[in-house]
Amino acid sequence: MARPVRQGTAYLVGAGPGDPGLLTVRGREILVAADAVIYDRLANPTLLGLARPDAVLIDVGKTPGRHAMTQEEINAAIVEQARLGRSVCRLKGGDPFVFGRGGEEALECLAASVPFEIVPGVTSSIAAAAYAGIPVTHRNVATSFAVITGHENPDKPETQVDWAGIAHGADTLVFLMGIGNLAEITAQLIRHGRAADTPVAVVQWGTWTRQRVVEGTLSTIAQLVADSGLKPPAVTIVGAVAALRERLAWWDRKPLFGRRVVVTRSRTQASDLTDLLTDVGAEAIELPVIAIAARDVAEAVGRLVAAGLPHDWVVFASSNAVDLFFAALAAAGADARLLAGSKVGAVGASTAEALARHGLRADFVPTSFSGEDFAKQVGSPEGLRFLFPGAAAASDDMPRELRARGAEVELLPLYDTVPDPSDGAAVARRFADGEVDAVTFTSSSTVRLFRELLPDVDLSGICLAAIGPRTADTMRELGLEPTVVAATSRLSALVEALSDWWQPAG
Ligand code: SAH
């Protein structure tokens, strides 16, 4: 059930601490529907991909000490957007009311008679600790926790900080914005009676794939953090619970944790591989190289429907082909029952999975991700009629081989693959900055288009991963030696191949 998102209303939405999966259901609902999105750097930019393509995006770009927009300007922008009659998603890192100045923004809306709603978010004060393997409370260890600013308003006189109260206010103390003051904070806590050997953990970019954790004690942590070069955003967790990380760390122990992997697929397909990579802790850098341009097949599909699909076999070689074929069927007022009298073939396990999503089990999937192998392995095709709905530029291997074996093959070109250069420059910069550990290729065309889009990037030392032998061959033809080749044509196998390759390095 979807709840309404009203125009003229300002929604102060907690974006969560970074991991996009930690956005709330209601937050997502508002972000997806909003006419205007006002965001800052603590909200993960990949969340912006959820916004409507035509939504107004306003970056208020706050970084410590430098405000791209002052708080007054941000308040004014929220009110202005709402008054234009837009639904406004004010996307704020963590929770909007935990050191997020959300209260000020809500008061401003109130003063301007702009209706507002608050969508709480997963605050970094708890989540960064959790992703570091630190529970903020723990039976017999900590029965209370406090969240404290480590950076008081600099205009306030020093004496405002009640260190005695803070030191004994709770078992676990979580400081936000405290990295710059760490030496002062830890010295004051010791002076006011917390043991010098109290465990402390500092978590930078908690819940992101670039999370870093420095561990020490009240007496050692300030120096350790200075030596490590850790910078904001980071939370500092003081208390006996910090020692639990030794046993409970999990996020930064994922097999591909922190690896930066370029995903070269079509814009619509990229997300499956991105999800798999994120699940094992890698940062997926999406480089959509291919856009799928669907052809108008209404007439051709209409004829098939009218004829009751006379083919003995229907063969798909990509999940795009499957999805577009079923979309065309639906548009023609038909459904999967049209295939009831035919056998269904799938080249590649991902293609078979796409069929399964439409309720069909493939009758035959060849042992490798190769149309030619399909034609060679499928039993007695002689005299049978094959329909091959697919890419207009699909390889001729399968139809040729099937015809050579006495079959009749009809092609149904569903789509063209066209280059998509839109994100090239941004990804080229990540290569130049040494911020890429691997590149994945899921088809020959992604190899070609990658080469076309980024002909000059330096790939030395970067793991180049192919989904199958055919893609690997294309890589070699274009001078790219594959570092790993997936054992089967599944995306999950590609991710496993990457994990295996990195395992020795941890
Ligand atoms: N409303 C936010 C806090 C905003 S104040 C929340 O509920 O999380 C900004 C401070 O939050 C940063 O200086 C840092 O201390 C902390 N912070 C936000 N996101 C963080 C993250 N992913 N990892 C560590 N600290 C984070």
Side-chain angles (χ1 to χ4, degrees), residues 266 290-296 320 324 390-394 413-419:
S266 71
I290 300 176
I292 302 290
R295 290 191 171 191
D296 180 0
N320 283 320
L324 288 172
L414 292 171
Y415 63 94
D416 295 285
T417 50
V418 295

Side-chain angles (χ1 to χ4, degrees), residues 131 315 328 335 400 413-414 456 470:
Y131 271 52
V315 186
D335 61 29
R400 193 171 16 83
L414 292 171
D456 302 323
R470 182 150 195 124

Side-chain angles (χ1 to χ4, degrees), residues 392-413:
S395 145
D396 186 42
D397 293 351
M398 175 167 61
R400 193 171 16 83
E401 182 66 24
L402 281 172
R403 287 184 187 119
R405 297 188 64 198
E408 192 185 315
V409 183
E410 189 181 327
L411 304 178
L412 175 61

Side-chain angles (χ1 to χ4, degrees), residues 17 42 93-95 98-100 123-124 176-177 203 205-206 208 233-235:
L42 287 176
D95 179 273
V98 177
F99 298 123
T123 174
S124 65
L176 269 58
M177 303 172 284
V203 185
W205 288 116
W208 295 65
V235 301

